[in-house]
Amino acid sequence: MSIYQTHMTDVLVVGAGLAGERIAVEAASQGQDVIILSLVPPRRSHSTAAQGGMQASLGNCAMGEGDNPDVHFADTVKGSDWGCDQEVARLFVETAPVAVREMAVWGVPWSRVVAGQRTLPDGRVIEEKKEKEGLITARDFGGTAKWRTCYTADGTGHTLQYTMDSMVIKMGITVHDRTEAISLIHDGEQCIGVVARCLRTGDLRVYIAKTTVICTGGYGRLYSASTNAVINEGNGMFVALNTGVVPLGNMEAVQFHPTGMVPVWILITEGARGDGGYLLDKNLDRFMPDYEPKKKELASRDVVSRRMTQHMRKGLGVDSPYGPHLWLDIRHLGAEHINTNLREIANIARNFAGVDPVKDLIPVRPTQHYSMGGVRTNKDGAAYGLRGLFAAGEAACWDLHGFNRLGGNSLAETITAGRIIGKKVAEYTKDATINYNYQLVDDAVKEQENRIKALVNGWHGKENVYEIRNEMEKNLMDYVGIFRNGKDLQKAVDNLREVYHRSLKIGLRSNGEGPNPELAQALRMPGMVRLALCIAYGALMRTESRGSHAREDYPKRDDTNWLKRTLAYWPEGADLPELKYEPVKITELPPGDRGYGESSAESQGGKNG
Amino acid sequence: MADRELTFEIFRYNPQKPETKPYLQTYKLKETTGMTVFVALNMIREEQDPSLMFDFVCRAAICGSCAMIINGRPRLACKTLTKTLPAKIKLFPLPVFKLIGDLSVDTGTWFRHLSLKTESWIHTSKTFDPKAQEERMDNKTALEIYEAERCIECGCCIAGCATANIREDFLGAAGINRVARFMVDPRDERTPEQYFEVVGSEEGAFGCMGLMACDDNCPMELPLQMQLAFVRRKIAKIGLGVKEKKGVKLA
C-alpha cells in the first residue's frame, strides 16, 4: 500500500486557463465542490497571451453594423473549411455575445465605442454613432465579414484571465497550482479522477471526483518552433488518449503562423507585412513576388507560410544555431513609421531578439500556432469513451474550428464553451454518483510510482529525454508542417514510431528527487510522442487538403470521401494510433467555396488570438 | 556578435534537503545570436544539468513567471538579452517569496493572498442579466482601469522593496496598484471607508518608505510611484474625514 494524499470533490478541473476557470465558476455557483489543478498559478496560463481579442457579434461599432450570430456562424463554418460541427458553431455564436457582456459585469475593462469620425489606415473615413457611445466596441481581424473582435487595448487575454481568476478567488474555489495530472483513474467506463504529481515536492496525490474536466490547452510545444507557452505540451490530451478508450479528434489539423521570430518564436503580427515589409532570403533577395506576383507578401497567411517553407527547402534559408530562417525587412519604412505605427513589433524585436528593425533584419520563420484537434467531445463537452469526463477549450475537439480556426474564435471559445459546458458539467454532476473499488485507485498510483522508479533507476534504458524530445520536434517540424505529402508523412510516422519506442527506455541523468524537472519531462515524453504520432498518422491517412491541412499530392478538398472527422485511439501496447472516422454534422450551411480569393485547396489562417 | 563564452553563477538550494547548504554553481556556455536568459537556462538544463530548477511559461513578458535577480537586479529572465550583460552572469531567486528550489519561487501563493487581502474583485450588488445590453462605460475610464490592470504579478517590485523585505505583511507596490485599479472602476461599489480598511495602515499605503525601487524595477513600466501617490492622497483624505466622492481621477 502506497502513502499518498487523497482529495475528494464533486468537480475536478484540470487546467486553470480561461475555459477551466469558467467551468469551475459555473459549477461552484451551483453549490458544487470544485478543485482546480494547474501546472502554474492560474494567472500565468497561456490564455493571458492572447492579445488580439475575442469574436462576438455585438455589432456596436460602425464597421460591425448589421452583424449578428448568423454572419458569425457563416464566417466560422467557412473558416473551418466545413470541418466544424455546425450544431456546436450555432450554439457558440449565439452564446458569445452573452459571454462577453457577462465578463463586463465581472470586471473586464472592454474597449468602448467613442463617437465621431476617424480615418482608417487605408484612408477610409468611418463614423462611430453617438447612440452607440460607451458600448463594447470591436476591431478588425482576418477572415471575418464584420468587425467583431472585442478587445481590451492590447491585453485582452490578460484582462479576461485576471477577471475570471478574481471570480475564482471571490468564490473561494480551491486551486492546487504547480500540480500536474499524470494519469486518469478509470475502469474503462467511468472516469473517477486523476493521479497527480506535486511540482513543489514531487509527491504523488490522488484526486477523486464525480466529474473530471480537461482544460489543459494545446500541444504547440510538440513542434520545435511554436508561438505557444512552454507549458503547452498537450498533457490533458495524452492522459485522455492513454486510457485507450477516449479518442482525440482531428489531430492532423494544425495552424501555422508565417512569422514567428527566431529564436524564441514570439509572434510578429501581420502588421509588419501589411505596412509594406518584405521577406528576404539568405542572399537578401525578395522572393515572394516570384511565387505570388500579385499579392506578394500579402497573400493569405497559409499561402505565405507555404511559400516560405518552399523557399527554405531550396536551401535559400539563413542558417542559424536555431535552424534555417528567413528575414523580415521593414527598414525601408523608416524610423518614424517603425517607432510609431509598428511600435509593438519593434519592441518585440528589440526585447526578445536584440535586433533594431530600424537598421536590422528580423529573423523569422513559419511557426506552429494553434491546435484545432483535441479530446473529442459531444456538444455538451462530454468526452467520448468515459462517463464523468469532460473537456473544453483548445484541449478539446468540441468541434468549433474544424480544419482552421478563425482569428479571435479561440479566446471566444474559452469563455463561451466554459459557460455552456460548465452548465452541462454541473447538470451531470448533480445526479452523478461514484462507486469505486479502492484497488483501482491504488493500482493507478502504483503504476505511476513504478514508472518513476524505472526512470530514476534506468531500468528500461538510458535514453536521454531531451534528445528524444528534439527528435520528435524535428520530425513534426520537417515532415508534418505546412506542406505535407505522402512520402514525408510516411517518413515522419516511421521515425516517430522509433522515437516512441526509445521514449519507453528513458533513464534520468539527474537523481529525480523532489520536484525534479527532468523527471517531469520524462513522465510526459511517451504521451507527447503518442500525440505526435496521432498528428502525423492522421495527416498521412487524410488524402485531401482541407483548411490548414495542405497535401501537395492531394491539393483539393474532397467532400465525397473526406467530409469526416478523424478519431484517434491508442490501444494498449500499440505503437501507432488506431484511426476511426465519423461524419461531420452539416445542419445549415452545405460545403461551398471559402471565398478567400484562392482555390479551395488554399486556406487562410486566423489571426493571433 | 563577439564569440563570448558566458559564465553563469547560479544559486542552488533544495529546501527539501536542508543538509546541503546553498551554494553557487558555475556553468559555461557559448553565447549565440539573440540569446536571452530564457534560452541560456534551457540550454544549461538540457545539455549540462537537468536538475536545475527555474520557471518559464510565456517567455514573452506577459505571464510574469520568470522574475529573478540577474546581476543584482530583479528582472524578467525572458526579457533579458545576454548581450546586454557582462560575460559573467549571476542568478539568484527573488527574495521575499518562498523558495521552491534553485531559481524557482512561489509568487503564485503570495499574489493569491494579496488578492484575498485586498478583496481584488468587483464588489457589486448587481446581478448579470443575459438578455440586457451591457452598461455603458466611457472608453477613457476603461483605459484607466486597464492601465492599472497591466500588472503581471511577477514580483520584481516586491523583491526590490526594502519594506517588503522587512515587513512580511506589506502589500507592496503591486498591492497598492491593485487597490488603485478597483478605486478607479465605477463598477466597484466599495466606499472610501471600505478602502481605508484595506490600505489605510502600515501594511498598506503608509508602510512605503519612498525609495521607489518598485518604479525602477517594474518590467511593465507601470507608474507605480503615481499610483502610490494617488492612493495615499485618497486614503489620507478619508483618514482626515474630508468628504470625497468615489471615482475621483488620478491627478
Side-chain angles (χ1 to χ4, degrees), chain A residues 81-348:
Chain A
D81 219 353
W82 279 270
C84 74
D85 181 309
Q86 296 195 5
E87 244 185 302
V88 165
R90 174 51 69 184
L91 205 56
F92 162 78
V93 295
E94 299 286 347
T95 312
V98 180
V100 166
R101 291 182 175 128
E102 185 171 55
M103 293 309 294
V105 173
W106 291 351
V108 170
W110 294 111
S111 292
R112 303 288 175 142
V113 174
V114 179
Q117 272 196 355
R118 71 197 160 101
T119 309
L120 302 179
D122 63 7
R124 278 178 296 171
V125 178
I126 56 168
E127 167 124 24
E128 299 290 354
K129 289 187 179 148
K130 189 76 193 156
E131 75 242 35
K132 299 284 189 186
E133 185 149 60
L135 296 175
I136 296 167
T137 192
R139 61 160 61 126
D140 193 14
F141 237 36
T144 65
K146 302 278 180 187
W147 287 21
R148 188 188 298 127
T149 306
C150 307
Y151 64 100
T152 321
D154 59 357
T156 317
H158 173 91
T159 59
L160 280 169
Q161 180 84 55
Y162 272 53
T163 299
M164 194 70 85
D165 193 50
S166 80
M167 294 300 288
V168 166
I169 292 173
K170 177 188 174 188
M171 297 173 85
I173 295 171
T174 305
V175 178
H176 290 179
D177 68 357
R178 292 185 185 262
T179 302
E180 177 173 1
I182 56 173
S183 77
L184 296 183
I185 307 172
H186 69 99
D187 59 8
E189 287 174 6
Q190 187 176 11
C191 176
I192 59 161
V194 308
V195 178
R197 180 167 173 262
C198 173
L199 301 178
R200 286 186 176 82
T201 61
D203 296 342
L204 293 184
R205 289 192 213 133
V206 164
Y207 292 85
I208 304 288
K210 289 178 185 166
T211 310
T212 302
V213 193
I214 293 175
C215 302
T216 50
Y219 58 63
R221 288 285 162 168
L222 299 179
Y223 283 80
S224 49
S226 171
T227 62
N228 288 192
V230 301
I231 53 173
N232 294 117
E233 299 184 311
N235 298 37
M237 294 186 202
F238 64 71
V239 296
L241 182 70
N242 288 348
T243 62
V245 291
V246 178
L248 304 180
N250 282 349
M251 289 297 280
E252 64 270 33
V254 187
Q255 190 176 73
F256 284 78
H257 193 283
T259 51
M261 187 179 64
V262 184
V264 286
W265 317 116
I266 297 171
L267 194 149
I268 302 285
T269 64
E270 260 76 3
R273 280 172 291 128
D275 285 13
Y278 302 146
L279 288 166
L280 308 181
D281 63 18
K282 71 172 182 187
N283 302 319
L284 303 186
D285 287 331
R286 185 180 172 199
F287 59 90
M288 278 306 291
D290 300 340
Y291 296 105
E292 300 289 330
K294 268 194 195 151
K295 294 191 172 176
K296 306 181 181 81
E297 280 84 357
L298 295 177
S300 77
R301 197 182 263 193
D302 278 18
V303 172
V304 176
S305 293
R306 284 171 208 161
R307 296 307 188 193
M308 289 169 75
T309 306
Q310 200 177 344
H311 205 64
M312 287 195 290
R313 277 187 186 171
K314 291 180 184 166
L316 292 164
V318 184
D319 285 324
S320 84
Y322 313 102
H325 64 77
L326 295 159
W327 298 115
L328 175 64
D329 185 6
I330 58 173
R331 295 172 300 181
H332 52 285
L333 302 178
E336 197 190 323
H337 185 88
I338 291 170
N339 290 329
T340 52
N341 298 28
L342 299 175
R343 189 174 58 188
E344 196 188 332
I345 291 165
N347 283 339
I348 288 174

Side-chain angles (χ1 to χ4, degrees), chain A residues 464 466-467 469-470 509, chain B residues 41-50:
Chain A
N464 179 330
Y466 297 108
E467 280 171 21
R469 185 181 173 135
N470 289 338
R509 284 174 297 153
Chain B
L41 282 173
N42 277 289
M43 277 186 178
I44 291 173
R45 183 190 276 172
E46 291 187 18
E47 291 162 14
Q48 301 185 37
D49 189 344

Side-chain angles (χ1 to χ4, degrees), chain A residues 104 112 154 158 264 322 354, chain B residues 32 59 83 139 146 149 187:
Chain A
R112 303 288 175 142
D154 59 357
H158 173 91
V264 286
Y322 313 102
Chain B
T32 52
R59 56 78 180 94
K83 75 172 186 186
N139 194 51
Y146 176 64
E149 184 141 303
R187 292 168 296 193

Side-chain angles (χ1 to χ4, degrees), chain A residues 371-535:
Chain A
S371 28
M372 274 73 76
V375 177
R376 177 69 186 131
T377 71
N378 66 14
K379 65 177 178 184
D380 296 339
Y384 285 20
L386 285 178
R387 259 183 301 125
L389 183 66
F390 287 72
E394 194 175 346
C397 179
W398 187 27
D399 172 5
L400 174 64
H401 309 301
F403 274 76
N404 201 19
R405 169 184 66 85
L406 212 58
N409 261 0
S410 50
L411 203 53
E413 182 187 16
T414 60
I415 61 167
T416 308
R419 193 171 199 278
I420 295 166
I421 293 170
K423 288 185 200 304
K424 297 294 176 186
V425 164
E427 212 172 276
Y428 170 85
T429 309
K430 188 159 65 72
D431 301 323
T433 52
I434 40 173
N435 282 311
Y436 68 95
N437 176 343
Y438 199 75
Q439 195 63 42
L440 186 72
V441 176
D442 217 39
D443 288 349
V445 179
K446 277 222 179 68
E447 190 184 333
Q448 297 307 318
E449 274 179 344
N450 288 337
R451 284 184 69 205
I452 291 171
K453 279 184 201 154
L455 288 165
V456 171
N457 297 307
W459 286 343
H460 301 317
K462 283 302 276 178
E463 289 283 358
N464 179 330
V465 64
Y466 297 108
E467 280 171 21
I468 304 263
R469 185 181 173 135
N470 289 338
E471 280 293 309
M472 172 196 70
E473 289 177 352
K474 204 170 149 357
N475 272 291
L476 281 184
M477 207 73 213
D478 290 350
Y479 306 125
V480 201
I482 290 158
F483 272 126
R484 300 166 175 189
N485 63 65
K487 200 171 126 242
D488 282 353
L489 290 169
Q490 186 62 56
K491 203 184 292 176
V493 170
D494 294 344
N495 292 349
L496 286 168
R497 240 172 147 165
E498 192 203 313
V499 172
Y500 176 64
H501 286 288
R502 286 175 62 196
S503 78
L504 301 175
K505 294 177 188 150
I506 292 170
L508 300 191
R509 284 174 297 153
S510 58
N511 61 21
E513 284 176 357
N516 178 289
E518 187 188 18
L519 177 60
Q521 187 71 72
L523 283 168
R524 288 174 208 138
M525 211 58 239
M528 289 169 71
V529 185
R530 286 178 180 188
L531 295 185
L533 271 162
C534 289
I535 299 166

